[in-house]
C-alpha cells in the first residue's frame, strides 16, 4: 500500500483520542495533554464512555457520536476493543490511526489473532495504522504530538523512525536539551501496517526532511524495504542502527516487537547495497543526529582539517582515507587567510 493515506497520519486537520482519560499518568491522559501542550492547530476530539468532560473539553461516548470523521485517530483502549474500533472508524470515514495499545503480535498467538483482525477491519477502508505497541508520532512543524512521551521534539529537518518506543524517548532525552530538531518522530512498534518501507517512501520526497535515522530490529517486507531504501538514499542520508546482531539479541527482538530479526550478515549486505550508512551504537546515532543537524550537505569529497595538534591531524587524515574521503589541499589565498591566526612558528600543512 506504501504512501497511500499517509498524509492523513502526518498532516491531519483533526485528531480524536479514543480512550482519553482524566486520570493523571494514564496513557490516554498523557496523549490528550501532549496534543494540547504542543498547541496542535487542528481540531481535537476526545472519546470515552465514562466521562462527559476532560480538562474543560467535551467528551463523546463513542465514535459514532463524533461531529465528523477525524483525519487521525489515536487509540489507547484495551487490545480486545481495537478491531471493532478500527472498523467503526473506517466506516465513519477516518483513514489513519495510531494504535498505541500493546498486547498484540509480541504476546503470542492470541495477540497475533487480534493483530490480524485489526488489519482485516482496516483494509476495506484503506485505513492506515501505525503500531500497535508504540509511543505514537510527532510532526513538530505542525505542532502535532500524538505520543505519551514526556518531551516534545522541536522542529528540524531530521526524521527519526524506531521500532522501539524506548529508543524514541532516549533520542528525545538527548536531543531536546541540545535543541536538535526533527521533521518527524515515528514509533512504528509492531508494524501491523505502516512499516519502514512505507515511511522511507514517504520521507524520500518530503521537502521538510533532509536526513533519516532508523532504529531497526527487523524488516517485514524485504523487497519493499530495499526498493524504498535505495530510492531514499539517492536523495538524502539514511542512517540505520540495527539491533539483534547476536543470536540472543535476535531472540530478544522477537519477544520485544514480534518481528524476526534475521541474520545480521544479510542485513549488513542489504544496507550497503541500498546505500544506507550503518552505525553500531546509540551513541553513534546521537553523533550522527548532531552532525546532520548542525551541518549542511557537502558538495564534494574533500574537506579541510583544522586542528591544534599534528597527531590529531594525522588521525583525521587516516579516518578520511578509510571512508574514501580526502583532505583538501589549502593554498594560495587560503594560506594567506589562515596564517594570521597561527603562532609564528606554525604554518599550514598539506596532507597527501
Amino acid at each position: 500500500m506504501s504512501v497511500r493515506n499517509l498524509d492523513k497520519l502526518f498532516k491531519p486537520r483533526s485528531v480524536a483520542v479514543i480512550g482519553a482519560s482524566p486520570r493523571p499518568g494514564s496513557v490516554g491522559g498523557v496523549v490528550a495533554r501532549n496534543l494540547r501542550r504542543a498547541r496542535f492547530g487542528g481540531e481535537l476530539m476526545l472519546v470515552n464512555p465514562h466521562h462527559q468532560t476532560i480538562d474543560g473539553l467535551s467528551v463523546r461516548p463513542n465514535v459514532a457520536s463524533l461531529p465528523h470523521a477525524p483525519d487521525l485517530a489515536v487509540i489507547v483502549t484495551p487490545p480486545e476493543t481495537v478491531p471493532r474500533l478500527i472498523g467503526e472508524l473506517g466506516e465513519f470515514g477516518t483513514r489513519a490511526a495510531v494504535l498505541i495499545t500493546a498486547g498484540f503480535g509480541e504476546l503470542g498467538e492470541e495477540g497475533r489473532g487480534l493483530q490480524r483482525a485489526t488489519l482485516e477491519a482496516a483494509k476495506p477502508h484503506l485505513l492506515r495504522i501505525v503500531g500497535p505497541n508504540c509511543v505514537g508520532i510527532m510532526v513538530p512543524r505542525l505542532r502535532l504530538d500524538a505520543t505519551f512521551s514526556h518531551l516534545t521534539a522541536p522542529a528540524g529537518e531530521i526524521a527519526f523512525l524506531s521500532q522501539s518506543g524506548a529508543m524514541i524517548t532516549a533520542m528525545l532525552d538527548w536531543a531536546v536539551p541540545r535543541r536538535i530538531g526533527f521533521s518527524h518522530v515515528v514509533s512504528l512498534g509492531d508494524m501491523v501496517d505502516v512499516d519502514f518501507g512505507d515511511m522511507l517512501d514517504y520521507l524520500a520526497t518530503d521537502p521538510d526532511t533532509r536526513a533519516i535515522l532508523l532504529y531497526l530490529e527487523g524488516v517485514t517486507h524485504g523487497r519493499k524495504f530495499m526498493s524504498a531504501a535505495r530510492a531514499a538514499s539517492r536523495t538524502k542520508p539514511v542512517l540505520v542502527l540495527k539491533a539483534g546482531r547476536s543470536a540472543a539479541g535476535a531472540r530478544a527482538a522477537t519477544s520485544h516487537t514480534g518481528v524476526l530479526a534475521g541474520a545480521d550478515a544479510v542485513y549488513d549486505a542489504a544496507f550497503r547495497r541500498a546505500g544506507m550508512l550503518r552505525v553500531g551504537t546509540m551513541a553513534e546515532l546521537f553523533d550522527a543526529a548532531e552532525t546532520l543537524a548542525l551541518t549542511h550537505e557537502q558538495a564534494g569529497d574533500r574537506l579541510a582539517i583544522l586542528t591544534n595538534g599534528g597527531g590529531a591531524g594525522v588521525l583525521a587524515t587516516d579516518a578520511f582515507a578509510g571512508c574514501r574521503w580526502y583532505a583538501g589541499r589549502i593554498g594560495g589565498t587560503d594560506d594567506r587567510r589562515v596564517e594570521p591566526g597561527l603562532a609564528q612558528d606554525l604554518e599550514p600543512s598539506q596532507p597527501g
Side-chain angles (χ1 to χ4, degrees):
M1 195 177 288
S2 197
V3 301
R4 189 163 190 172
N5 286 332
L6 291 191
D7 275 349
K8 300 295 185 182
L9 270 167
F10 301 116
K11 298 177 183 177
R13 292 170 295 178
S14 57
V15 178
V17 181
I18 317 296
S21 171
R23 183 162 51 88
S26 66
V27 175
V30 174
V31 171
R33 182 203 69 195
N34 283 355
L35 282 161
R36 298 185 73 181
R37 181 182 66 181
R39 299 180 182 178
F40 173 59
E43 184 179 5
L44 176 59
M45 297 175 272
L46 307 181
V47 175
N48 189 317
H50 306 297
H51 300 278
Q52 293 185 334
T53 62
I54 295 176
D55 293 336
L57 292 180
S58 62
V59 180
R60 307 284 178 162
N62 50 46
V63 170
S65 65
L66 291 170
H68 56 85
D71 284 342
L72 172 63
V74 184
I75 301 177
V76 293
T77 59
E80 62 272 13
T81 68
V82 170
R84 173 182 59 81
L85 287 169
I86 289 292
E88 291 177 1
L89 286 162
E91 290 177 6
F92 199 41
T94 299
R95 294 295 175 260
V98 173
L99 184 47
I100 289 176
T101 305
F104 288 82
E106 76 279 9
L107 293 185
E109 188 53 42
E110 183 178 354
R112 284 191 288 272
L114 281 173
Q115 192 165 284
R116 287 191 294 270
T118 298
L119 194 55
E120 289 303 313
K123 277 183 176 179
H125 311 289
L126 301 178
L127 190 155
R128 306 306 306 272
I129 298 173
V130 168
N133 185 26
C134 73
V135 168
I137 66 172
M138 295 182 191
V139 186
R141 181 177 56 86
L142 301 181
R143 303 196 303 274
L144 175 67
D145 181 357
T147 74
F148 62 92
S149 169
H150 65 295
L151 292 173
T152 297
E157 298 178 312
I158 301 171
F160 181 44
L161 316 176
S162 173
Q163 278 175 276
S164 166
M167 294 299 101
I168 294 285
T169 57
M171 177 63 82
L172 293 176
D173 283 340
W174 175 85
V176 170
R178 293 167 174 81
R179 298 182 181 179
I180 292 172
F182 296 87
S183 64
H184 300 75
V185 178
V186 183
S187 172
L188 290 169
D190 292 354
M191 300 191 301
V192 66
D193 173 27
V194 177
D195 59 13
F196 284 110
D198 297 326
M199 288 303 308
L200 287 168
D201 266 342
Y202 182 80
L203 294 170
T205 58
D206 178 55
D208 298 310
T209 299
R210 189 165 57 86
I212 305 169
L213 307 181
L214 314 179
Y215 169 84
L216 182 151
E217 294 178 0
V219 169
T220 48
H221 302 286
R223 288 185 179 178
K224 180 174 73 172
F225 173 81
M226 286 298 294
S227 175
R230 280 196 294 265
S233 295
R234 290 191 191 105
T235 61
K236 54 195 70 176
V238 181
L239 287 79
V240 56
L241 173 60
K242 167 66 172 69
R245 289 187 168 197
S246 65
R251 289 192 296 272
T254 301
S255 66
H256 178 209
T257 58
V259 176
L260 294 176
D264 188 67
V266 174
Y267 276 101
D268 205 48
F271 296 151
R272 287 199 304 271
R273 183 171 182 181
M276 305 167 77
L277 176 63
R278 183 173 186 174
V279 298
T281 66
M282 199 65 186
E284 290 182 355
L285 198 64
F286 289 159
D287 289 343
E290 187 167 32
T291 301
L292 290 165
L294 299 178
T295 63
H296 296 285
E297 183 178 356
Q298 304 302 317
D301 60 357
R302 296 178 182 274
L303 291 176
I305 300 170
L306 181 64
T307 174
N308 65 349
V314 174
L315 289 173
T317 303
D318 285 343
F320 275 26
C323 296
R324 297 183 180 179
W325 282 61
Y326 303 95
R329 297 181 63 84
I330 299 173
T333 57
D334 291 327
D335 269 355
R336 291 192 292 273
R337 292 171 63 185
V338 170
E339 285 171 355
L342 300 178
Q344 290 185 355
D345 58 344
L346 294 178
E347 61 181 25
S349 173
Q350 302 288 353

